[in-house]
Amino acid sequence: MARKSDSTGPLNRYVDALVRGEQALAHTVIANARKQGIGADRIYLEVLAPSQDRIGELWHEGALNVAQEHLATSITMSVMDTLREEMQPRRLLGMRAVVTPVEGDEHVLGARMVADFLSMDGWEVDFLGKGTPAKDLVEFVRQRDVDIVALSCTLPEFLPNAREATAALGKLNLAPKVLLGGLAVYPEELDVQSLGGDAFGRDARHAVDQARSLVGLERPRLSLTDHLAAMGRKINSIRTTLKMTQQDLAEASGLDRTYISMVERGRQNLTMGAVVKIADALNVPVAELVSTEDR
Ligand code: B12
């Protein structure tokens, strides 16, 4: 499966670090991408996820052995641990989710991504790690007030386990909604309803949208203040990476230094003309500054 990747530079550097088995280098590549203003969500979806695909291909071609593939996955897990520490949930939604691969499935990274995206969105999340047997999952859910169970299934041979889990969860008095995803669960190839789930998610970002719609929450909307604060942080991050002072940026954009300072603090409602001038001065596309996907 080809995943979308706009962050080709960091992706190539990151895969290179994984292939060489250099954990510190992998962390540095990601830290640099963060300094360039690439949000944790894009790092997950455009660097870490496709890097695992590349590692899988290299392993398949015999260019990497099992030990190297294991190391690559463990490095990516440690990078995710670091990113998780930095994540600021939008605001708590008062919703609880349980995320787990289905019984037997040892592929945890995708499920972990879904868990982290839900946390970033403000859900309280219990991530159960490796595949959980249906009866234990049901027992766990019964003891808590769970709104959503997100089940990940990578191998088609474990789809019956997904079906068993959804059936058992459906029998609970206060049955949670069940969201399905993972490489084995593709609507084009499979009738997701036949697995007993309530919805399907393509990737971790889509998982959040689907989870919200299952519990009747609207998609997250950012206020103008949030947009201005995000843009200010982005401009500050790109400027400092380029080792420019606020005065340098003011001169390069033809704007006043105090105006730049206000913008970076999220206190200035910029005109479109000012956004274009700042983007040109920083040599980035306008879309890079106004994107609201990054946190
Ligand atoms: C790392 C890896 C492993 C590791 C996993 C370690 C770990 N801690 O996770 C280990 C070594 C254990 C492993 C084992 C096996 N693996 Co493996 N593995 C991989 C590899 C290289 C990367 C997986 C990964 O991390 N992907 C990155 C994540 C982010 O992607 P993702 O899981 O797809 O998740 C995204 C979406 O699918 C979605 N998503 C995922 N879960 C959910 C859940 C919900 C609710 C939602 C909404 C969305 C969602 O969101 C995620 C992020 O956007 C893949 C190659 C590949 N192309 O994926 C093979 C791969 C998945 N493995 C494969 C195989 C065959 C196996 C083994 C059978 C090999 C063997 N002969 O032993 C065993 C099975 C073990 C088992 N019982 O599960 C095949 C599966 C083919 C298939 N579909 O049948 C693949 C595709 C390799 C290949 N090309 O052949 N593997």
Side-chain angles (χ1 to χ4, degrees):
M1 181 187 51
R3 287 179 225 255
K4 172 178 168 266
S5 175
D6 295 334
S7 310
T8 336
L11 172 60
N12 289 339
R13 284 192 288 280
Y14 186 73
V15 170
D16 189 47
L18 292 185
V19 168
R20 289 156 62 173
E22 292 190 22
Q23 174 152 328
L25 180 61
H27 277 265
T28 304
V29 171
I30 298 305
N32 287 341
R34 292 286 281 146
K35 279 190 203 142
Q36 281 165 22
I38 304 181
D41 51 352
R42 284 184 57 201
I43 302 255
Y44 269 48
L45 297 184
E46 297 176 22
V47 180
L48 304 184
S51 78
Q52 288 293 109
D53 291 343
R54 298 266 282 270
I55 291 301
E57 284 158 18
L58 290 169
W59 170 71
H60 202 65
E61 292 161 8
L64 287 184
N65 64 29
V66 172
Q68 290 168 308
E69 180 269 312
H70 281 13
L71 178 58
T73 303
S74 115
I75 291 174
T76 294
M77 291 297 263
S78 93
V79 165
M80 286 166 66
D81 290 342
T82 304
L83 289 172
R84 200 174 307 118
E85 305 258 301
E86 297 170 12
M87 285 172 189
Q88 301 279 327
R90 209 183 289 273
R91 61 184 71 85
L92 283 182
L93 297 169
M95 294 284 172
R96 182 176 282 275
V98 173
V99 184
T100 180
V102 297
E103 180 168 10
D105 206 323
E106 292 176 20
H107 299 88
V108 298
L109 216 133
R112 176 84 254 189
M113 285 196 176
V114 170
D116 290 352
F117 266 62
L118 287 169
S119 296
M120 272 195 273
D121 191 48
W123 295 68
E124 283 183 69
V125 181
D126 293 310
F127 174 64
L128 305 186
K130 276 193 191 167
T132 309
K135 73 172 181 28
D136 299 308
L137 177 61
V138 167
E139 200 44 47
F140 183 84
V141 168
R142 198 202 307 273
Q143 288 163 8
R144 294 177 176 238
D145 194 10
V146 174
D147 300 285
I148 293 272
V149 174
L151 289 176
S152 173
C153 187
T154 299
L155 298 179
E157 69 210 63
F158 294 131
L159 286 173
N161 296 353
R163 204 170 285 119
E164 188 193 343
T166 55
L169 287 165
K171 287 188 191 135
L172 282 171
N173 266 346
L174 285 171
K177 298 286 184 191
V178 181
L179 178 60
L180 296 165
L183 274 191
V185 191
Y186 278 117
E188 307 92 61
E189 294 158 23
L190 186 82
D191 176 7
V192 177
Q193 303 290 323
S194 75
L195 294 175
D198 295 294
F200 156 81
R202 280 186 305 279
D203 60 30
R205 188 177 286 143
H206 191 217
V208 171
D209 290 345
Q210 294 288 67
R212 278 184 168 253
S213 102
L214 283 177
V215 297
L217 286 173
E218 286 191 355
R219 287 181 59 143
R221 290 218 180 99
L222 295 185
S223 65
L224 175 63
T225 313
D226 291 335
H227 278 287
L228 293 176
M231 200 186 307
R233 281 196 300 274
K234 185 82 68 73
I235 291 169
N236 173 278
S237 153
I238 299 173
R239 176 180 66 71
T240 50
T241 305
L242 294 173
K243 300 201 180 348
M244 290 170 88
T245 62
Q246 285 188 343
Q247 187 59 40
D248 294 336
L249 179 55
E251 283 166 19
S253 61
L255 297 164
D256 197 75
R257 195 203 62 78
T258 48
Y259 185 90
I260 298 290
S261 165
M262 295 279 280
V263 166
E264 290 194 357
R265 284 184 287 141
R267 302 269 173 79
Q268 182 65 48
N269 191 356
L270 296 87
T271 63
M272 194 59 203
V275 176
V276 171
K277 283 179 185 168
I278 293 174
D280 285 348
L282 294 172
N283 200 20
V284 294
V286 168
E288 182 80 26
L289 300 186
V290 295
S291 157
T292 54
E293 282 179 354
D294 298 348
R295 264 166 252 154

